[in-house]
Amino acid sequence: MASKVRKSVPWRVVAWTVSLLCVLVVFQPPVARADNPIVQTIHTADPAPLVHNDRVYLYTGHDEDGSTWFTMKEWRVYSSTDMVNWTDHGSPMNLETFSWASADAWAGHVAERNGKFYWYVPVTNRETGRMAIGVAVGDSPTGPFRDALGHPLVENGEIDPAVFIDDDGQAYLYWGNPNLWYVKLNADMTSYSGSPTQIPLTTEGFGARPGDSERPTLYEEGPWVYKRNSLYYMVFAAQCCSEFIAYSTAPTATGPWTYRGTIMPTQGASFTNHAGVIDYKGNSYFSYHNGALPGGGGFTRSVAVEKFTYKADGTFPLINMTTGGAPQVGTLDPYVRQEAETIAWGTGIETEPSGEGGMGVGWIENGDWIKVKGADFGSGAKSFTARVASATSGGSIEIRLDEVNGPVAGECEVPGTGGWQTWIAVSCPVNGATGTSDVYFRYSGGSGYLFNMNWWQFSA
């Protein structure tokens, strides 16, 4: 960006007193063990993970800072190959993608078919004032995405679409609150056969909600359907408010459903929850949201992830929210170019589009830092290079190992470059970086914003 006016990160906002009290229950200071929530630069919600080409892509909504309602204008994408270092791909789709939509970029879901990526989202139809399901299509998992139809795919005033493609190639779109619906999608993924079918919400299928004759079952919203070992699972948000995550199973993609119990109890500082379940590199992962970041709450949520193991009979264990998150799968290679916005944990910084393409890290001030987890330096790194830009007098990148105040392995000076998008590469020698370590980039300098960072790389 040409100029920097202000920094709108939740880290610098005083939380509501009530929200902060809730946050203290589930949030611990960002020490080395803390990797949940997985995004700290903005508030994210409604995770929808997708595995593609040996990488996990995580699609989320974006809660605006300080919201007192579900104020959401865009969707975001993050990805990882190790479940702890997540790369920010920015926002490849927003409300303006749908010319017919007026508001509410709420919980969506992405499915891949024949090399195309289809993003199903609920938005308010400007013409009718009702919630409708739109579909956008992209040529890559990170977009950009374009409206596939120019009008809603389906509209009945309900929300939270989720797509499942069965082994025989038949795709299903599920959605609904307060009811639960499905349609059979055609092979083009942008049309469907027949009419929407309402799934009977029976207590046998979805559990009994106490004390509510109008909604006798636990089903609330956020369906997530998949198949495992010939059994179909439907994970859903249950019994608002506050919600917990429950699930049912069935012998077919359309039922009949049998209620199986709780997966994640009511926890955290958000009165909603929304889950996504995947298998990746031989492990199973459960994504959800809470309000665990400073300033967090029911309208300012954050996505987190846990690793779990199914029981021998295929049922879920009880999964609790943690600050530790999922363990790292493998290690990160510091000798290949890494995007600066690949982060396990960060404080103070934000991400923004880079003039060189993709995203970068910006709004850096003295004392801000980023953690990159589990970098394998092998026999040792000798130098470090970073791509930087500064419209001020710059600052320094302190390379510290294993802790934010850990040993200094190197320090790169960043000069003023004449602009926030005027990029140069700076290098410095490195000592003591051997084996596998967490790397902390701690930024230092004068007052105000120091510099931007686009990518980095160590040399052996």
Side-chain angles (χ1 to χ4, degrees):
M1 58 196 299
S3 63
K4 296 194 172 187
V5 180
R6 67 184 181 89
K7 195 171 193 174
S8 59
V9 290
W11 295 93
R12 308 283 168 93
V13 177
V14 178
W16 298 332
T17 302
V18 175
S19 295
L20 181 56
L21 290 174
C22 295
V23 167
L24 291 175
V25 175
V26 297
F27 179 78
Q28 299 295 325
V31 294
R33 67 177 179 82
D35 294 308
N36 264 339
I38 61 174
V39 176
Q40 308 87 41
T41 53
I42 62 171
H43 291 294
T44 54
D46 306 319
L50 170 72
V51 178
H52 177 71
N53 284 351
D54 208 32
R55 192 175 188 95
V56 174
Y57 292 87
L58 187 66
Y59 301 86
T60 77
H62 174 197
D63 288 336
E64 296 293 325
D65 290 351
S67 293
T68 56
W69 180 244
F70 302 109
T71 307
M72 308 173 77
K73 303 174 182 178
E74 65 178 13
W75 296 269
R76 308 280 296 203
V77 184
Y78 302 85
S79 72
S80 179
T81 57
D82 61 12
M83 300 304 293
V84 295
N85 296 300
W86 291 89
T87 301
D88 186 344
H89 298 282
S91 173
M93 191 171 80
N94 56 40
L95 285 172
E96 294 180 358
T97 302
F98 303 95
S99 61
W100 49 271
S102 61
D104 302 326
W106 289 358
H109 190 176
V110 175
E112 185 272 335
R113 189 160 205 170
N114 297 327
K116 300 287 186 181
F117 297 83
Y118 298 89
W119 202 336
Y120 301 84
V121 292
V123 292
T124 297
N125 185 342
R126 180 182 292 105
E127 183 176 338
T128 65
R130 298 195 307 172
M131 293 302 296
I133 308 301
V135 55
V137 62
D139 297 323
S140 84
T142 57
F145 287 82
R146 58 193 180 275
D147 188 354
L149 295 174
H151 56 80
L153 170 63
V154 64
E155 178 177 349
N156 63 2
E158 302 196 35
I159 60 173
D160 289 359
V163 176
F164 165 67
I165 303 176
D166 209 343
D167 296 338
D168 61 3
Q170 178 62 61
Y172 298 84
L173 174 69
Y174 304 84
W175 78 100
N177 179 345
N179 302 297
L180 179 57
W181 305 81
Y182 78 89
V183 293
K184 290 185 175 182
L185 293 173
N186 295 325
D188 61 11
M189 301 296 283
T190 60
S191 63
Y192 58 87
S193 301
S195 300
T197 298
Q198 188 170 352
I199 297 174
L201 292 177
T202 65
T203 55
E204 294 79 12
F206 296 92
R209 183 185 307 223
D212 191 341
S213 59
E214 293 185 3
R215 296 190 72 166
T217 76
L218 291 172
Y219 176 83
E220 185 72 27
E221 59 187 353
W224 180 276
V225 179
Y226 64 99
K227 185 180 183 181
R228 180 180 183 269
N229 295 340
S230 301
L231 190 64
Y232 296 80
Y233 291 71
M234 179 178 290
V235 176
F236 58 91
Q239 190 178 327
C240 187
C241 286
S242 295
E243 293 176 344
F244 63 96
I245 302 297
Y247 76 113
S248 302
T249 61
T252 74
T254 58
W257 297 96
T258 300
Y259 182 64
R260 296 299 183 186
T262 299
I263 300 174
M264 177 171 279
T266 299
Q267 295 175 345
S270 169
F271 57 83
T272 67
N273 202 347
H274 194 110
V277 183
I278 56 167
D279 286 339
Y280 179 61
K281 293 186 176 179
N283 302 311
S284 298
Y285 295 95
F286 184 86
S287 301
Y288 60 97
H289 69 228
N290 57 29
L293 290 182
F299 303 118
T300 44
R301 299 158 294 180
S302 295
V303 168
V305 64
E306 308 292 346
K307 178 186 172 183
F308 74 96
T309 301
Y310 292 94
K311 296 180 181 179
D313 61 0
T315 58
F316 269 90
L318 194 68
I319 302 173
N320 290 303
M321 299 181 184
T322 74
T323 56
Q328 187 170 12
V329 180
T331 55
L332 181 138
D333 186 352
Y335 299 120
V336 299
R337 183 175 127 172
Q338 299 286 349
E339 295 299 313
E341 65 274 14
T342 298
I343 299 169
W345 195 277
T347 181
I349 54 91
E350 290 189 48
T351 60
E352 62 181 17
S354 167
E356 294 190 316
M359 300 288 286
V361 170
W363 313 98
I364 295 169
E365 294 180 276
N366 182 58
D368 292 348
W369 54 267
I370 286 173
K371 179 180 81 170
V372 178
K373 191 169 183 177
D376 184 0
F377 290 103
S379 59
K382 297 300 183 184
S383 65
F384 171 80
T385 300
R387 188 75 167 169
V388 294
S390 176
T392 59
S393 57
S396 297
I397 305 171
E398 300 173 7
I399 305 164
R400 295 177 177 263
L401 301 178
D402 294 321
E403 298 179 4
V404 68
N405 294 315
V408 177
E411 185 170 358
C412 275
E413 297 298 324
V414 178
T417 66
W420 295 116
Q421 297 296 332
T422 304
W423 298 93
I424 64 169
V426 296
S427 298
C428 57
V430 173
N431 293 289
T434 60
T436 300
S437 294
D438 295 344
V439 179
Y440 288 78
F441 299 117
R442 180 172 172 175
Y443 306 111
S444 59
S447 61
Y449 302 121
L450 305 179
F451 52 88
N452 293 345
M453 190 168 168
N454 194 18
W455 54 260
W456 57 266
Q457 184 173 355
F458 286 87
S459 295

